[in-house]
Amino acid sequence: MRRTKWLALGMAMAPFAAQAEAPDDAGEVMAAASIVVTGTGLALPPGTPAYGSVTIDRDRLEDAASGRIESVLADVAGFQQFRRSDSRASNPSNQGATLRALGGNASSRTLVLLDGVPVADPFFGYIPFSALVPDRLALVRVTRGGGSGAFGAGAVAGTIELASATRDQMPHVGASAFYGSRDASELSASIAPDLGSGYVSLSGRWDRGDGFQTTPRDQRVAATVPAAYDSWSTNLRAVAPIDATSEIQFRGTLFQDNRTLRFAGADSMSQGQDASIRYISRGRWQVDALAYLQARNFSNIVISSTSFRKSLDQRNTPSTGIGGKIELRPPVGEDHVLRIGVDSRFATGDMYEDAYNAGIASNPLTSRRHAGGDQITSGIFAEDDWTIGNLVLTGGVRADRWSIRNGFYKAVSAAGLVTQDSSYANRSDWAFSGRAGALYHVSDAVALRGAVYSGFRLPTLNELYRPFVVFPITTQANAALKPEKLKGVEGGIDLTPAPGVQLSATLFYNRLDDAIANVTIATNTRQRQNVNAIVAKGVELTASAQLPADFSLLASYAYSHSKVDAPGMAFDGFAPAQVPRHSASATLAWAPKAGPELSATLRYTAKQYEDDLQSDVLPDALTLDALARLPIGHGISLVARGENLFDEDIVTRNAGGSIDLGTPRTLWIGVRFGL
């Protein structure tokens, strides 16, 4: 392992010896006999602002005190993970992303794309946040509300689009090294040489730490240990021109993440090998075509909180995702941007786990279990944006054919006797979804917008076939789960009252029918079930301003009144698990053109509940992060970072009084280099 980590960093520093030739006809199409290679996708359609998208720029991505993409996403009103922990101190399977208070379980209800490619784990549906390094990105665009367009299946709460940094945003050679509290270190390096008319970027990051105590002091025992973490990732991206208007983009990512949570031996591991290739044409007929492959794995050991012996070894969960899309934009006139295309995703995965009797000193094996299945979703879509003076109308429809196949669950005793052997019927159906919106520019300072939309999400293989334990709670799988279906409406206003000042307000109403929730069915036992609906309504406020004396301000606030509609159930009318009613964020930065830079981020999250019955409360939390950068010349800067400077107790789990805590005060000092 240690050798592998250093190899990943070494790759990021290794020089390339390769050359790409520019096409002979480049000078006939572009001025100055050059080809412009951007490494981005196609331009945004003009109707995109009708859905109230929020953009996070590269400057903000590079100024996160934690260095974690999930912390930056918390700037967006309504964004949340299932738990408040970040990717250093949470089980990876908890890392589902959602928006607009449509939580309730750990699966991601938000479609997350990197350069157009879905990044969610094919089996679990969680997002590998530790492999999404902010320094590698150009921007993030978050669109709340049901999705459509390419890969629209799965975007019931919205879409988070990550775009890799382009050539002009990356240093030719870059590196950073940080040392932090509790013997933590973070090392990264990158090179981005030009290759003919294209370029290649290779980057690596390794971070580790002894971790903090997630267990409150009065609940610690001899087996309690800090949440140590050790992760690395490396990313190769190449962009090469074909002619003056088209290019090929390749990306490959390798990552591994190891964590220990609460008790000695409670180790988890997630790893992945992803690759994608993308063809972009910006000619008269615009084309965006891509194909991708994901190979992932996960393992996890559950330690009994009474005997502190191994009770479950989820030793192997291999999964594979394969997919692609073709999107065409035919020339239909200056007033229209028409998008038509097809996309498909295939996921397959298996779960291998061993159960042990933790109540006996010898800790004997009691059962071996194997479960898994396949999923495929294939869709066709069309969307058009029509500009009529100051009015932009946008609308799109999708038709998806989905299937869930080859599902099974098998359990064998330690003696080799089959105790359960279940095969589940194959299922398939059509799902239809769409969206429509309008954007009207009343003046240069005022724009009105409104949208309606629908969407759907298949239950993940994890939700269908894999039970799990967060001691003392066991959550059962449910192979009969139906897809979730969303309908929503929203309206908003965007204001530019002065140069450099932007204000936005959005009112929304979303209804998620057949929502999948972890439902309490007995003491210490839950099951994933479809409930009638989750109804979420609220308001989202966003502000940004360039202030005098090189100051800037970013702020957001979300009020979300979300409740479960489950007639006859004990939790009818309750808030979904893990959903706060209020959340807010504000970042004040001072960044003169030359000299030191400072920024501070204040965040507030209201109380939320651990479970469907609202029996266990997670109190509200107020945190302050800060970053300071001092350039010292020759591309070198000294950087100081601080997380949770108030040292707030952030309760991330509360199961009948058994509590886990989030990141305490954490300080970093380091150096960053780029030329």
Side-chain angles (χ1 to χ4, degrees), residues 218-239:
D218 60 356
Q219 295 185 7
R220 296 174 195 169
V221 296
T224 303
V225 296
Y229 63 96
D230 193 332
S231 64
W232 61 267
S233 69
T234 187
N235 186 77
L236 171 67
R237 188 166 188 261
V239 179

Side-chain angles (χ1 to χ4, degrees), residues 84-140:
R84 298 172 176 179
S85 304
D86 65 27
S87 54
R88 293 166 292 187
S90 175
N91 190 289
S93 62
N94 286 332
Q95 292 179 188
T98 193
L99 294 158
R100 288 196 166 157
L102 290 173
N105 67 27
S107 296
S108 189
R109 288 188 167 119
T110 300
L111 177 64
V112 181
L113 304 173
L114 174 57
D115 297 329
V117 177
V119 300
D121 184 271
F123 186 90
F124 292 90
Y126 68 78
I127 309 302
F129 284 116
S130 63
L132 303 174
V133 180
D135 290 352
R136 298 174 185 165
L137 302 176
L139 59 84
V140 177

Side-chain angles (χ1 to χ4, degrees), residues 21 130 156 175 199 307 429 512 540 561 564 607 640:
E21 296 296 332
S130 63
V156 292
Y199 63 90
S307 68
D429 202 352
L512 185 66
E540 297 156 343
H561 187 277
V564 179
K607 74 173 184 179

Side-chain angles (χ1 to χ4, degrees), residues 511 513 531-535 563-567 569 571-574:
R511 180 183 176 91
D513 291 312
V531 301
N532 188 52
I534 292 175
V535 177
K563 66 178 183 178
V564 179
D565 179 24
M569 305 293 285
F571 51 85
D572 182 37
F574 287 6

Side-chain angles (χ1 to χ4, degrees), residues 76-411:
V76 178
F79 170 82
Q80 66 172 117
Q81 299 182 83
F82 181 65
R83 296 199 184 277
R84 298 172 176 179
S85 304
D86 65 27
S87 54
R88 293 166 292 187
S90 175
N91 190 289
S93 62
N94 286 332
Q95 292 179 188
T98 193
L99 294 158
R100 288 196 166 157
L102 290 173
N105 67 27
S107 296
S108 189
R109 288 188 167 119
T110 300
L111 177 64
V112 181
L113 304 173
L114 174 57
D115 297 329
V117 177
V119 300
D121 184 271
F123 186 90
F124 292 90
Y126 68 78
I127 309 302
F129 284 116
S130 63
L132 303 174
V133 180
D135 290 352
R136 298 174 185 165
L137 302 176
L139 59 84
V140 177
R141 185 170 56 254
V142 180
T143 303
R144 295 160 295 202
S148 189
F151 296 120
V156 292
T159 305
I160 297 174
E161 299 170 87
L162 313 175
S164 291
T166 58
R167 179 66 194 89
D168 60 336
Q169 295 173 315
M170 297 179 294
H172 286 278
V173 178
S176 66
F178 287 88
Y179 183 79
S181 303
R182 297 170 291 278
D183 198 27
S185 59
E186 176 190 304
L187 303 175
S188 66
S190 66
I191 58 172
D194 294 323
L195 295 180
S197 297
Y199 63 90
V200 170
S201 66
L202 180 62
S203 61
R205 173 163 145 169
W206 172 33
D207 50 356
R208 60 155 304 281
D210 292 344
F212 60 90
Q213 288 284 0
T214 61
T215 308
R217 187 175 300 275
D218 60 356
Q219 295 185 7
R220 296 174 195 169
V221 296
T224 303
V225 296
Y229 63 96
D230 193 332
S231 64
W232 61 267
S233 69
T234 187
N235 186 77
L236 171 67
R237 188 166 188 261
V239 179
I242 297 175
D243 55 34
T245 60
S246 61
E247 64 192 43
I248 290 287
Q249 304 173 9
F250 170 82
R251 181 173 53 81
T253 301
L254 306 176
F255 67 88
Q256 181 161 320
D257 191 321
N258 300 278
R259 308 177 198 176
T260 299
L261 300 176
R262 198 174 177 93
F263 298 122
D267 302 326
S268 66
M269 182 279 299
S270 60
Q271 64 179 202
Q273 302 88 40
D274 295 0
S276 65
I277 189 166
R278 188 181 193 185
Y279 168 75
I280 297 288
S281 175
R282 303 179 181 88
R284 190 165 181 268
W285 277 76
Q286 297 185 45
V287 180
D288 185 354
L290 66 85
Y292 69 88
L293 171 66
Q294 300 168 321
R296 304 283 181 85
N297 206 342
F298 171 82
S299 65
N300 183 57
I301 295 175
V302 179
I303 299 295
S304 167
S305 64
T306 53
S307 68
F308 311 110
R309 302 187 187 99
K310 180 167 57 178
S311 62
L312 188 67
D313 184 359
Q314 297 164 332
R315 54 187 172 83
N316 194 21
T317 316
S319 63
T320 303
I322 303 172
K325 79 157 185 178
I326 300 175
E327 177 186 321
L328 303 177
R329 297 187 184 183
V332 291
E334 294 182 356
D335 297 335
H336 288 270
V337 175
L338 176 64
R339 306 167 62 194
I340 56 176
V342 296
D343 60 74
S344 185
R345 285 189 284 178
F346 170 77
T348 183
D350 291 84
M351 176 275 291
Y352 300 88
E353 66 179 25
D354 299 335
Y356 293 83
N357 189 335
I360 299 177
S362 61
N363 205 190
L365 175 73
T366 59
S367 178
R368 295 189 184 275
R369 304 162 185 164
H370 181 202
D374 305 327
Q375 289 182 335
I376 188 167
T377 305
S378 299
I380 182 170
F381 63 90
E383 190 163 87
D384 182 53
D385 290 19
W386 182 15
T387 302
I388 313 168
N390 292 336
L391 176 66
V392 180
L393 300 176
T394 178
V397 293
R398 279 188 64 93
D400 287 279
R401 180 68 175 177
W402 61 265
S403 64
I404 299 173
R405 306 178 60 84
N406 304 320
F408 68 94
Y409 182 92
K410 185 175 183 179

